[in-house]
Amino acid sequence: MTGNARVLTGQHFLMGDVACAEGGLAAGCDFFAGYPITPSTEIAERLSRRLPEVGGVFTQMEDEIASMAAIIGASMAGARAMTATSGPGFSLMMENIGLAVMMEAPCVVVDVQRGSPSTGLPTLAGQADVMQAKWGSHGDYEIVAYAPSSPQESFDLVIKAFNTADRYRIPVFVMADEVIGHTAERVTIPPADQIPRVQRKRPRYAPGDESFLPFRAEDEDLVPPMVHAGEGYRVNVDSLTHDEKGYPATFAEPHDRLVRRLAAKIRQNAHQIIEYEELLLDDAQVVVVAYGCTARSARRAVALARQEGIRAGLLRLITLWPFAGQKVWELSSQAAAFVVPELNLGQMITQVERFTSHPVVGVNHAGGAIMPPEPILDAIREVVM
Amino acid sequence: MAEIAVASHPIDAVLRRDRLPHIWCPGCGIGAVMACYARAILESGIPLDKHICVSGIGCSARVPGYMNLDTYHTTHGRAIPFATGLKLVNPELQVTVFSGDGDLFAIGGNHFIHAARRNIDINVFCVNNFNYGMTGGQAGPTTPMGSFTTTTPYGNVEPPFNLAALAAACGAVFVARWTALHVRQAQEAMQRAMQKKGFAFVEIVAPCPVSFGKSNDIGEGVDEMWMYRKQCVVNDDADVTKIDVTMGKEAELVVGNFLDIERPAYMGYGKEVLGEA
């Protein structure tokens, strides 16, 4: 199955975890640091075999804290860097995820979610880390999180995650789940020259030019150009609140300015980032909002509802964050109710509720198995009664 | 306005002069150790653009902010894994982690032992001043038994690490200990660390009069320097397992370049593992 090529162009039968690894390789990932954790371990195993073949570097670290720190360091040295984990490891990464936000270090973190909290259900699916992805590190910040619904989409979204990370200089999450990670399906890998590649914005100044301020966002997108280690710019990159020169500036005014810019570079560009799939929404009176493995069941539930004459549709979230609130608001003008199935006790439903005044019904299970279509169908029937 | 005593200084090229004066207290030893590092860089023969300095959090971790290099002030305890990722991606860089005892050996202790075990080719320069200075003088993993700190008001009951022994046991290929008094020797040890392929560790014992010296009957910074002068014994051949730092009034403080061995450096799991030339 493995070969020497970085991009394994062709048709494959891959589990989602392996597709994540191949997506990273196709995206040009140079560096992976990780720690074994079920149900994400296959990503590390695959990359330990494949990265040496393509001139990249794999390293197994002592824990997930170190893994996250290492990919930020690697990113600062110019690499496309990623890690993969599951809930307990994701929790350990949180402080350094904030570091990646503060240093504006592009990187990709795959979280193959399992039943939680704590050790929970190591081998069984959950979707309860989706709020943590947005709010898990301390402070105000914005990130981007994708939710794949198939192995093919795992491959595609890891590529997209790298491009979004480099475009906005942020950590980007791929919020997979155990079902998607361990489901094997057909994955089509395109030719290498058809893999989209966003290049990092780079300084327009020569090293030593006094007018270069490495953390000044000169463009409308609010993203400053990125300097890599060893290029001669001699930049200070700081976890402390810093000014445009990169120097510590631990005062109220520069802090407000920096944190606002870090948030605004995603908020003001959200319309370019947000993605979703629409199924039968044109005339829908009931909108099911779902993501990840649960969206597969929701698709079936919507089809069954249609057979019963209920005008149901599916809004499948591809980006969890930023949330597609505008789309929910637009759908509110035609739909009478929303149904939000999740393998958690009600996380993304809180976002749906923010953008509609119609009834929003959660279909929840704490995790451990994919949600069957029937409870989703029951909820659809209930809201149209 | 402060009076400018000299127009220029030999280590100006390595410092961000626009960030001075520094934040450290009167009598603190960190500035002296930073100057050793600056001179070691100048003497290293390695271009400044290739020197990278990474730190965690704490007083000593503020050093990179003053160095005119590519510098990274990261999270508490995580400088070593950050530096590991950076070094593995660009092995041509001369990567130094410059931080304090609490940062490197309490919250960051796990990273230290594994980086030494792997023998990643970085330098770790640790200012050991026996306490958490930035937060006001709490006990840490190097605080001597019996010492008074703000969290050991009745005396410290925990035995401290012997950092040199720890580094040697974990697999470091170069291990040295000096003090803020031994500026020439510390600089030379740092230069040797930079030449060394592998995990090189230099501990520099330094005064923290405000948060440690005064509350432990050592006195001001200069008094602690006198203590080093009287009590330090240079012994490169010392058994590292027997050279604990007690800061006792009569105790020897053994310093030296204790270990210099060869061991394959860690390059990550990259193309080298395929066994091709």
Side-chain angles (χ1 to χ4, degrees), chain A residues 52 58-59 62 65 70 96 230 234-239 245 247, chain B residues 16 18-19 49-50 68 70-71 73-75 78 81 111 118 266 269:
Chain A
F58 169 91
T59 187
E62 52 273 18
I65 301 173
N96 281 334
R234 303 204 199 156
V235 170
N236 185 53
V237 184
D238 217 302
S239 60
K245 195 165 186 180
Y247 286 3
Chain B
R16 293 186 171 121
D18 58 346
R19 287 221 61 226
D49 289 346
K50 298 301 168 195
N68 188 20
D70 279 330
T71 55
H73 184 213
T74 71
T75 42
R78 316 307 170 197
H111 307 309
R118 286 183 196 108
Y266 180 65
Y269 207 72

PDB file of all heavy atoms in Angstrom, chain A residues 52 58-59 62 65 70 96 230 234-239 245 247, chain B residues 16 18-19 49-50 68 70-71 73-75 78 81 111 118 266 269:
ATOM      1  N   PRO A  52       9.487   9.367   6.581  1.00  0.00           N
ATOM      2  CA  PRO A  52      10.883   9.152   6.167  1.00  0.00           C
ATOM      3  C   PRO A  52      11.017   8.905   4.661  1.00  0.00           C
ATOM      4  O   PRO A  52      12.020   9.293   4.060  1.00  0.00           O
ATOM      5  CB  PRO A  52      11.305   7.913   6.972  1.00  0.00           C
ATOM      6  CG  PRO A  52      10.402   7.916   8.162  1.00  0.00           C
ATOM      7  CD  PRO A  52       9.087   8.449   7.653  1.00  0.00           C
ATOM      8  N   PHE A  58       9.292  12.396  11.351  1.00  0.00           N
ATOM      9  CA  PHE A  58       8.319  11.976  12.358  1.00  0.00           C
ATOM     10  C   PHE A  58       9.051  11.976  13.691  1.00  0.00           C
ATOM     11  O   PHE A  58      10.221  11.616  13.759  1.00  0.00           O
ATOM     12  CB  PHE A  58       7.831  10.569  12.021  1.00  0.00           C
ATOM     13  CG  PHE A  58       7.035   9.906  13.113  1.00  0.00           C
ATOM     14  CD1 PHE A  58       5.646  10.026  13.156  1.00  0.00           C
ATOM     15  CD2 PHE A  58       7.667   9.158  14.102  1.00  0.00           C
ATOM     16  CE1 PHE A  58       4.918   9.417  14.161  1.00  0.00           C
ATOM     17  CE2 PHE A  58       6.936   8.545  15.113  1.00  0.00           C
ATOM     18  CZ  PHE A  58       5.560   8.673  15.142  1.00  0.00           C
ATOM     19  N   THR A  59       8.383  12.387  14.755  1.00  0.00           N
ATOM     20  CA  THR A  59       8.988  12.186  16.068  1.00  0.00           C
ATOM     21  C   THR A  59       7.902  11.851  17.074  1.00  0.00           C
ATOM     22  O   THR A  59       6.840  12.481  17.086  1.00  0.00           O
ATOM     23  CB  THR A  59       9.850  13.392  16.509  1.00  0.00           C
ATOM     24  OG1 THR A  59      10.521  13.047  17.727  1.00  0.00           O
ATOM     25  CG2 THR A  59       9.034  14.643  16.743  1.00  0.00           C
ATOM     26  N   GLU A  62       7.196  12.661  24.336  1.00  0.00           N
ATOM     27  CA  GLU A  62       6.939  12.055  25.643  1.00  0.00           C
ATOM     28  C   GLU A  62       5.496  12.259  26.099  1.00  0.00           C
ATOM     29  O   GLU A  62       5.030  11.585  27.021  1.00  0.00           O
ATOM     30  CB  GLU A  62       7.908  12.605  26.694  1.00  0.00           C
ATOM     31  CG  GLU A  62       7.982  14.120  26.782  1.00  0.00           C
ATOM     32  CD  GLU A  62       9.002  14.720  25.809  1.00  0.00           C
ATOM     33  OE1 GLU A  62       9.395  14.028  24.849  1.00  0.00           O
ATOM     34  OE2 GLU A  62       9.393  15.888  26.014  1.00  0.00           O
ATOM     35  N   ILE A  65       1.633  17.348  25.407  1.00  0.00           N
ATOM     36  CA  ILE A  65       2.101  18.723  25.645  1.00  0.00           C
ATOM     37  C   ILE A  65       3.334  18.969  24.780  1.00  0.00           C
ATOM     38  O   ILE A  65       3.447  19.984  24.076  1.00  0.00           O
ATOM     39  CB  ILE A  65       2.441  18.927  27.137  1.00  0.00           C
ATOM     40  CG1 ILE A  65       1.224  18.663  28.020  1.00  0.00           C
ATOM     41  CG2 ILE A  65       2.980  20.336  27.370  1.00  0.00           C
ATOM     42  CD1 ILE A  65       1.548  18.680  29.522  1.00  0.00           C
ATOM     43  N   ALA A  70       6.265  20.865  20.010  1.00  0.00           N
ATOM     44  CA  ALA A  70       7.191  20.529  18.920  1.00  0.00           C
ATOM     45  C   ALA A  70       6.657  20.970  17.569  1.00  0.00           C
ATOM     46  O   ALA A  70       7.421  21.471  16.735  1.00  0.00           O
ATOM     47  CB  ALA A  70       7.477  19.026  18.910  1.00  0.00           C
ATOM     48  N   ASN A  96      -0.671  24.955  24.863  1.00  0.00           N
ATOM     49  CA  ASN A  96       0.178  25.287  23.717  1.00  0.00           C
ATOM     50  C   ASN A  96      -0.625  25.621  22.463  1.00  0.00           C
ATOM     51  O   ASN A  96      -0.102  26.252  21.546  1.00  0.00           O
ATOM     52  CB  ASN A  96       1.181  24.163  23.453  1.00  0.00           C
ATOM     53  CG  ASN A  96       2.347  24.232  24.419  1.00  0.00           C
ATOM     54  OD1 ASN A  96       2.679  25.307  24.935  1.00  0.00           O
ATOM     55  ND2 ASN A  96       2.958  23.098  24.689  1.00  0.00           N
ATOM     56  N   GLY A 230      16.123  31.468  11.532  1.00  0.00           N
ATOM     57  CA  GLY A 230      17.403  31.350  10.832  1.00  0.00           C
ATOM     58  C   GLY A 230      17.509  32.131   9.542  1.00  0.00           C
ATOM     59  O   GLY A 230      18.485  31.991   8.811  1.00  0.00           O
ATOM     60  N   ARG A 234      15.974  38.017  12.872  1.00  0.00           N
ATOM     61  CA  ARG A 234      16.211  38.125  14.321  1.00  0.00           C
ATOM     62  C   ARG A 234      14.986  38.666  15.044  1.00  0.00           C
ATOM     63  O   ARG A 234      14.982  39.734  15.653  1.00  0.00           O
ATOM     64  CB  ARG A 234      17.427  39.002  14.593  1.00  0.00           C
ATOM     65  CG  ARG A 234      18.647  38.451  13.884  1.00  0.00           C
ATOM     66  CD  ARG A 234      19.916  38.886  14.541  1.00  0.00           C
ATOM     67  NE  ARG A 234      21.034  38.733  13.641  1.00  0.00           N
ATOM     68  CZ  ARG A 234      22.149  39.426  13.740  1.00  0.00           C
ATOM     69  NH1 ARG A 234      22.282  40.328  14.703  1.00  0.00           N
ATOM     70  NH2 ARG A 234      23.131  39.215  12.896  1.00  0.00           N
ATOM     71  N   VAL A 235      13.940  37.896  14.923  1.00  0.00           N
ATOM     72  CA  VAL A 235      12.639  38.288  15.456  1.00  0.00           C
ATOM     73  C   VAL A 235      12.426  37.681  16.831  1.00  0.00           C
ATOM     74  O   VAL A 235      12.825  36.545  17.084  1.00  0.00           O
ATOM     75  CB  VAL A 235      11.531  37.820  14.481  1.00  0.00           C
ATOM     76  CG1 VAL A 235      10.156  37.980  15.098  1.00  0.00           C
ATOM     77  CG2 VAL A 235      11.627  38.583  13.176  1.00  0.00           C
ATOM     78  N   ASN A 236      11.818  38.441  17.726  1.00  0.00           N
ATOM     79  CA  ASN A 236      11.359  37.883  18.993  1.00  0.00           C
ATOM     80  C   ASN A 236       9.903  37.446  18.820  1.00  0.00           C
ATOM     81  O   ASN A 236       9.046  38.244  18.445  1.00  0.00           O
ATOM     82  CB  ASN A 236      11.441  38.917  20.123  1.00  0.00           C
ATOM     83  CG  ASN A 236      11.076  38.297  21.460  1.00  0.00           C
ATOM     84  OD1 ASN A 236      11.637  37.280  21.855  1.00  0.00           O
ATOM     85  ND2 ASN A 236      10.111  38.887  22.156  1.00  0.00           N
ATOM     86  N   VAL A 237       9.665  36.170  19.092  1.00  0.00           N
ATOM     87  CA  VAL A 237       8.314  35.626  18.998  1.00  0.00           C
ATOM     88  C   VAL A 237       7.910  35.252  20.411  1.00  0.00           C
ATOM     89  O   VAL A 237       8.571  34.436  21.057  1.00  0.00           O
ATOM     90  CB  VAL A 237       8.275  34.401  18.061  1.00  0.00           C
ATOM     91  CG1 VAL A 237       6.844  33.912  17.895  1.00  0.00           C
ATOM     92  CG2 VAL A 237       8.880  34.751  16.705  1.00  0.00           C
ATOM     93  N   ASP A 238       6.834  35.860  20.882  1.00  0.00           N
ATOM     94  CA  ASP A 238       6.589  35.842  22.328  1.00  0.00           C
ATOM     95  C   ASP A 238       5.201  35.351  22.692  1.00  0.00           C
ATOM     96  O   ASP A 238       4.214  35.675  22.029  1.00  0.00           O
ATOM     97  CB  ASP A 238       6.782  37.263  22.882  1.00  0.00           C
ATOM     98  CG  ASP A 238       7.424  37.243  24.254  1.00  0.00           C
ATOM     99  OD1 ASP A 238       6.844  36.607  25.154  1.00  0.00           O
ATOM    100  OD2 ASP A 238       8.495  37.852  24.418  1.00  0.00           O
ATOM    101  N   SER A 239       5.145  34.571  23.779  1.00  0.00           N
ATOM    102  CA  SER A 239       3.853  34.167  24.335  1.00  0.00           C
ATOM    103  C   SER A 239       3.231  35.297  25.146  1.00  0.00           C
ATOM    104  O   SER A 239       2.020  35.306  25.379  1.00  0.00           O
ATOM    105  CB  SER A 239       4.020  32.930  25.213  1.00  0.00           C
ATOM    106  OG  SER A 239       4.906  33.185  26.281  1.00  0.00           O
ATOM    107  N   LYS A 245       6.509  44.977  16.882  1.00  0.00           N
ATOM    108  CA  LYS A 245       7.901  44.573  16.705  1.00  0.00           C
ATOM    109  C   LYS A 245       8.140  43.163  17.243  1.00  0.00           C
ATOM    110  O   LYS A 245       9.175  42.561  16.992  1.00  0.00           O
ATOM    111  CB  LYS A 245       8.818  45.577  17.401  1.00  0.00           C
ATOM    112  CG  LYS A 245      10.263  45.472  16.982  1.00  0.00           C
ATOM    113  CD  LYS A 245      11.071  46.689  17.386  1.00  0.00           C
ATOM    114  CE  LYS A 245      12.491  46.567  16.795  1.00  0.00           C
ATOM    115  NZ  LYS A 245      13.328  47.705  17.143  1.00  0.00           N
ATOM    116  N   TYR A 247       8.101  42.684  20.550  1.00  0.00           N
ATOM    117  CA  TYR A 247       8.615  42.877  21.906  1.00  0.00           C
ATOM    118  C   TYR A 247       7.468  42.765  22.917  1.00  0.00           C
ATOM    119  O   TYR A 247       6.342  43.188  22.632  1.00  0.00           O
ATOM    120  CB  TYR A 247       9.250  44.265  22.040  1.00  0.00           C
ATOM    121  CG  TYR A 247      10.600  44.427  21.376  1.00  0.00           C
ATOM    122  CD1 TYR A 247      11.179  43.399  20.631  1.00  0.00           C
ATOM    123  CD2 TYR A 247      11.304  45.623  21.496  1.00  0.00           C
ATOM    124  CE1 TYR A 247      12.416  43.567  20.025  1.00  0.00           C
ATOM    125  CE2 TYR A 247      12.545  45.800  20.894  1.00  0.00           C
ATOM    126  CZ  TYR A 247      13.100  44.767  20.158  1.00  0.00           C
ATOM    127  OH  TYR A 247      14.326  44.944  19.566  1.00  0.00           O
TER     128      TYR A 247
ATOM    129  N   ARG B  16      19.660  43.224  22.101  1.00  0.00           N
ATOM    130  CA  ARG B  16      18.680  44.200  21.610  1.00  0.00           C
ATOM    131  C   ARG B  16      18.783  45.411  22.535  1.00  0.00           C
ATOM    132  O   ARG B  16      18.119  45.471  23.578  1.00  0.00           O
ATOM    133  CB  ARG B  16      17.278  43.606  21.652  1.00  0.00           C
ATOM    134  CG  ARG B  16      17.086  42.459  20.678  1.00  0.00           C
ATOM    135  CD  ARG B  16      15.641  41.992  20.639  1.00  0.00           C
ATOM    136  NE  ARG B  16      15.446  41.049  19.547  1.00  0.00           N
ATOM    137  CZ  ARG B  16      15.018  39.787  19.699  1.00  0.00           C
ATOM    138  NH1 ARG B  16      14.705  39.328  20.902  1.00  0.00           N
ATOM    139  NH2 ARG B  16      14.889  38.991  18.663  1.00  0.00           N
ATOM    140  N   ASP B  18      17.686  48.276  22.353  1.00  0.00           N
ATOM    141  CA  ASP B  18      16.458  49.055  22.563  1.00  0.00           C
ATOM    142  C   ASP B  18      15.534  48.417  23.595  1.00  0.00           C
ATOM    143  O   ASP B  18      14.499  48.986  23.923  1.00  0.00           O
ATOM    144  CB  ASP B  18      15.723  49.281  21.224  1.00  0.00           C
ATOM    145  CG  ASP B  18      15.355  47.985  20.513  1.00  0.00           C
ATOM    146  OD1 ASP B  18      15.876  46.916  20.895  1.00  0.00           O
ATOM    147  OD2 ASP B  18      14.547  48.039  19.567  1.00  0.00           O
ATOM    148  N   ARG B  19      15.904  47.239  24.089  1.00  0.00           N
ATOM    149  CA  ARG B  19      15.079  46.627  25.132  1.00  0.00           C
ATOM    150  C   ARG B  19      15.690  46.819  26.520  1.00  0.00           C
ATOM    151  O   ARG B  19      15.105  46.408  27.514  1.00  0.00           O
ATOM    152  CB  ARG B  19      14.891  45.128  24.858  1.00  0.00           C
ATOM    153  CG  ARG B  19      13.946  44.874  23.698  1.00  0.00           C
ATOM    154  CD  ARG B  19      13.024  43.726  23.978  1.00  0.00           C
ATOM    155  NE  ARG B  19      12.190  43.967  25.139  1.00  0.00           N
ATOM    156  CZ  ARG B  19      11.986  43.083  26.106  1.00  0.00           C
ATOM    157  NH1 ARG B  19      12.572  41.912  26.071  1.00  0.00           N
ATOM    158  NH2 ARG B  19      11.209  43.378  27.118  1.00  0.00           N
ATOM    159  N   ASP B  49      22.920  34.886  12.845  1.00  0.00           N
ATOM    160  CA  ASP B  49      21.641  34.553  12.224  1.00  0.00           C
ATOM    161  C   ASP B  49      21.283  33.075  12.392  1.00  0.00           C
ATOM    162  O   ASP B  49      20.133  32.686  12.165  1.00  0.00           O
ATOM    163  CB  ASP B  49      21.666  34.891  10.733  1.00  0.00           C
ATOM    164  CG  ASP B  49      21.657  36.398  10.491  1.00  0.00           C
ATOM    165  OD1 ASP B  49      21.371  37.150  11.446  1.00  0.00           O
ATOM    166  OD2 ASP B  49      21.945  36.814   9.352  1.00  0.00           O
ATOM    167  N   LYS B  50      22.271  32.257  12.756  1.00  0.00           N
ATOM    168  CA  LYS B  50      22.007  30.823  12.915  1.00  0.00           C
ATOM    169  C   LYS B  50      21.829  30.422  14.381  1.00  0.00           C
ATOM    170  O   LYS B  50      21.556  29.261  14.674  1.00  0.00           O
ATOM    171  CB  LYS B  50      23.134  30.000  12.274  1.00  0.00           C
ATOM    172  CG  LYS B  50      23.270  30.233  10.767  1.00  0.00           C
ATOM    173  CD  LYS B  50      21.978  29.887  10.019  1.00  0.00           C
ATOM    174  CE  LYS B  50      22.015  30.386   8.583  1.00  0.00           C
ATOM    175  NZ  LYS B  50      20.662  30.374   7.959  1.00  0.00           N
ATOM    176  N   ASN B  68      19.803  39.592  20.487  1.00  0.00           N
ATOM    177  CA  ASN B  68      19.540  40.008  19.108  1.00  0.00           C
ATOM    178  C   ASN B  68      19.697  38.815  18.160  1.00  0.00           C
ATOM    179  O   ASN B  68      20.605  38.750  17.340  1.00  0.00           O
ATOM    180  CB  ASN B  68      20.490  41.150  18.729  1.00  0.00           C
ATOM    181  CG  ASN B  68      20.123  41.752  17.380  1.00  0.00           C
ATOM    182  OD1 ASN B  68      19.001  41.596  16.902  1.00  0.00           O
ATOM    183  ND2 ASN B  68      21.069  42.416  16.760  1.00  0.00           N
ATOM    184  N   ASP B  70      17.087  35.218  16.530  1.00  0.00           N
ATOM    185  CA  ASP B  70      15.719  34.717  16.466  1.00  0.00           C
ATOM    186  C   ASP B  70      15.426  34.088  17.820  1.00  0.00           C
ATOM    187  O   ASP B  70      16.119  33.146  18.244  1.00  0.00           O
ATOM    188  CB  ASP B  70      15.573  33.673  15.350  1.00  0.00           C
ATOM    189  CG  ASP B  70      15.401  34.312  13.979  1.00  0.00           C
ATOM    190  OD1 ASP B  70      14.848  35.424  13.907  1.00  0.00           O
ATOM    191  OD2 ASP B  70      15.839  33.704  12.992  1.00  0.00           O
ATOM    192  N   THR B  71      14.430  34.628  18.514  1.00  0.00           N
ATOM    193  CA  THR B  71      14.184  34.214  19.897  1.00  0.00           C
ATOM    194  C   THR B  71      12.712  33.838  20.092  1.00  0.00           C
ATOM    195  O   THR B  71      11.820  34.427  19.486  1.00  0.00           O
ATOM    196  CB  THR B  71      14.558  35.343  20.876  1.00  0.00           C
ATOM    197  OG1 THR B  71      13.845  36.536  20.517  1.00  0.00           O
ATOM    198  CG2 THR B  71      16.057  35.622  20.844  1.00  0.00           C
ATOM    199  N   HIS B  73       9.985  32.970  23.152  1.00  0.00           N
ATOM    200  CA  HIS B  73       9.597  32.934  24.564  1.00  0.00           C
ATOM    201  C   HIS B  73       8.294  32.145  24.619  1.00  0.00           C
ATOM    202  O   HIS B  73       7.247  32.650  24.242  1.00  0.00           O
ATOM    203  CB  HIS B  73       9.417  34.381  25.053  1.00  0.00           C
ATOM    204  CG  HIS B  73       9.118  34.519  26.501  1.00  0.00           C
ATOM    205  ND1 HIS B  73       8.309  35.517  26.984  1.00  0.00           N
ATOM    206  CD2 HIS B  73       9.525  33.817  27.574  1.00  0.00           C
ATOM    207  CE1 HIS B  73       8.229  35.420  28.309  1.00  0.00           C
ATOM    208  NE2 HIS B  73       8.958  34.397  28.697  1.00  0.00           N
ATOM    209  N   THR B  74       8.368  30.886  25.057  1.00  0.00           N
ATOM    210  CA  THR B  74       7.234  29.972  24.874  1.00  0.00           C
ATOM    211  C   THR B  74       6.420  29.852  26.163  1.00  0.00           C
ATOM    212  O   THR B  74       6.335  30.808  26.922  1.00  0.00           O
ATOM    213  CB  THR B  74       7.726  28.596  24.370  1.00  0.00           C
ATOM    214  OG1 THR B  74       8.426  27.909  25.412  1.00  0.00           O
ATOM    215  CG2 THR B  74       8.659  28.747  23.170  1.00  0.00           C
ATOM    216  N   THR B  75       5.844  28.686  26.394  1.00  0.00           N
ATOM    217  CA  THR B  75       5.031  28.464  27.594  1.00  0.00           C
ATOM    218  C   THR B  75       5.889  27.849  28.707  1.00  0.00           C
ATOM    219  O   THR B  75       6.981  27.343  28.456  1.00  0.00           O
ATOM    220  CB  THR B  75       3.848  27.546  27.269  1.00  0.00           C
ATOM    221  OG1 THR B  75       4.300  26.487  26.428  1.00  0.00           O
ATOM    222  CG2 THR B  75       2.737  28.307  26.577  1.00  0.00           C
ATOM    223  N   ARG B  78       7.965  24.383  28.498  1.00  0.00           N
ATOM    224  CA  ARG B  78       7.869  23.724  27.184  1.00  0.00           C
ATOM    225  C   ARG B  78       8.920  24.167  26.186  1.00  0.00           C
ATOM    226  O   ARG B  78       8.793  23.884  24.980  1.00  0.00           O
ATOM    227  CB  ARG B  78       6.476  23.935  26.591  1.00  0.00           C
ATOM    228  CG  ARG B  78       5.324  23.757  27.554  1.00  0.00           C
ATOM    229  CD  ARG B  78       5.330  22.440  28.295  1.00  0.00           C
ATOM    230  NE  ARG B  78       4.317  22.461  29.362  1.00  0.00           N
ATOM    231  CZ  ARG B  78       4.281  21.610  30.371  1.00  0.00           C
ATOM    232  NH1 ARG B  78       5.191  20.651  30.494  1.00  0.00           N
ATOM    233  NH2 ARG B  78       3.344  21.698  31.297  1.00  0.00           N
ATOM    234  N   PRO B  81      10.693  20.901  24.221  1.00  0.00           N
ATOM    235  CA  PRO B  81      10.008  20.295  23.062  1.00  0.00           C
ATOM    236  C   PRO B  81       9.800  21.268  21.904  1.00  0.00           C
ATOM    237  O   PRO B  81       9.834  20.854  20.740  1.00  0.00           O
ATOM    238  CB  PRO B  81       8.665  19.805  23.635  1.00  0.00           C
ATOM    239  CG  PRO B  81       8.499  20.495  24.940  1.00  0.00           C
ATOM    240  CD  PRO B  81       9.888  20.765  25.450  1.00  0.00           C
ATOM    241  N   HIS B 111      10.190  16.806  29.966  1.00  0.00           N
ATOM    242  CA  HIS B 111      10.766  17.111  28.656  1.00  0.00           C
ATOM    243  C   HIS B 111      12.290  17.059  28.715  1.00  0.00           C
ATOM    244  O   HIS B 111      12.943  16.594  27.781  1.00  0.00           O
ATOM    245  CB  HIS B 111      10.303  18.481  28.161  1.00  0.00           C
ATOM    246  CG  HIS B 111       8.821  18.636  28.179  1.00  0.00           C
ATOM    247  ND1 HIS B 111       7.962  17.711  27.609  1.00  0.00           N
ATOM    248  CD2 HIS B 111       8.016  19.597  28.725  1.00  0.00           C
ATOM    249  CE1 HIS B 111       6.713  18.104  27.792  1.00  0.00           C
ATOM    250  NE2 HIS B 111       6.719  19.240  28.468  1.00  0.00           N
ATOM    251  N   ARG B 118      17.002  11.132  24.291  1.00  0.00           N
ATOM    252  CA  ARG B 118      17.085  11.075  22.825  1.00  0.00           C
ATOM    253  C   ARG B 118      18.417  11.580  22.311  1.00  0.00           C
ATOM    254  O   ARG B 118      18.858  11.240  21.243  1.00  0.00           O
ATOM    255  CB  ARG B 118      16.016  12.002  22.203  1.00  0.00           C
ATOM    256  CG  ARG B 118      14.625  11.507  22.272  1.00  0.00           C
ATOM    257  CD  ARG B 118      13.667  12.484  21.561  1.00  0.00           C
ATOM    258  NE  ARG B 118      12.338  12.136  21.986  1.00  0.00           N
ATOM    259  CZ  ARG B 118      11.599  12.853  22.804  1.00  0.00           C
ATOM    260  NH1 ARG B 118      12.012  14.026  23.225  1.00  0.00           N
ATOM    261  NH2 ARG B 118      10.422  12.432  23.178  1.00  0.00           N
ATOM    262  N   TYR B 266      20.168  12.601  18.093  1.00  0.00           N
ATOM    263  CA  TYR B 266      18.837  12.299  17.540  1.00  0.00           C
ATOM    264  C   TYR B 266      18.500  13.251  16.404  1.00  0.00           C
ATOM    265  O   TYR B 266      18.582  14.479  16.575  1.00  0.00           O
ATOM    266  CB  TYR B 266      17.801  12.432  18.653  1.00  0.00           C
ATOM    267  CG  TYR B 266      16.374  12.159  18.223  1.00  0.00           C
ATOM    268  CD1 TYR B 266      15.976  10.913  17.791  1.00  0.00           C
ATOM    269  CD2 TYR B 266      15.410  13.172  18.284  1.00  0.00           C
ATOM    270  CE1 TYR B 266      14.660  10.667  17.417  1.00  0.00           C
ATOM    271  CE2 TYR B 266      14.095  12.938  17.915  1.00  0.00           C
ATOM    272  CZ  TYR B 266      13.729  11.684  17.483  1.00  0.00           C
ATOM    273  OH  TYR B 266      12.423  11.447  17.123  1.00  0.00           O
ATOM    274  N   TYR B 269      12.821  10.842  13.292  1.00  0.00           N
ATOM    275  CA  TYR B 269      12.600   9.634  12.507  1.00  0.00           C
ATOM    276  C   TYR B 269      12.380  10.087  11.075  1.00  0.00           C
ATOM    277  O   TYR B 269      11.255  10.283  10.619  1.00  0.00           O
ATOM    278  CB  TYR B 269      11.392   8.888  13.077  1.00  0.00           C
ATOM    279  CG  TYR B 269      11.420   7.402  12.838  1.00  0.00           C
ATOM    280  CD1 TYR B 269      12.300   6.587  13.529  1.00  0.00           C
ATOM    281  CD2 TYR B 269      10.563   6.825  11.921  1.00  0.00           C
ATOM    282  CE1 TYR B 269      12.322   5.221  13.312  1.00  0.00           C
ATOM    283  CE2 TYR B 269      10.573   5.458  11.704  1.00  0.00           C
ATOM    284  CZ  TYR B 269      11.461   4.665  12.400  1.00  0.00           C
ATOM    285  OH  TYR B 269      11.475   3.308  12.187  1.00  0.00           O
TER     286      TYR B 269
END
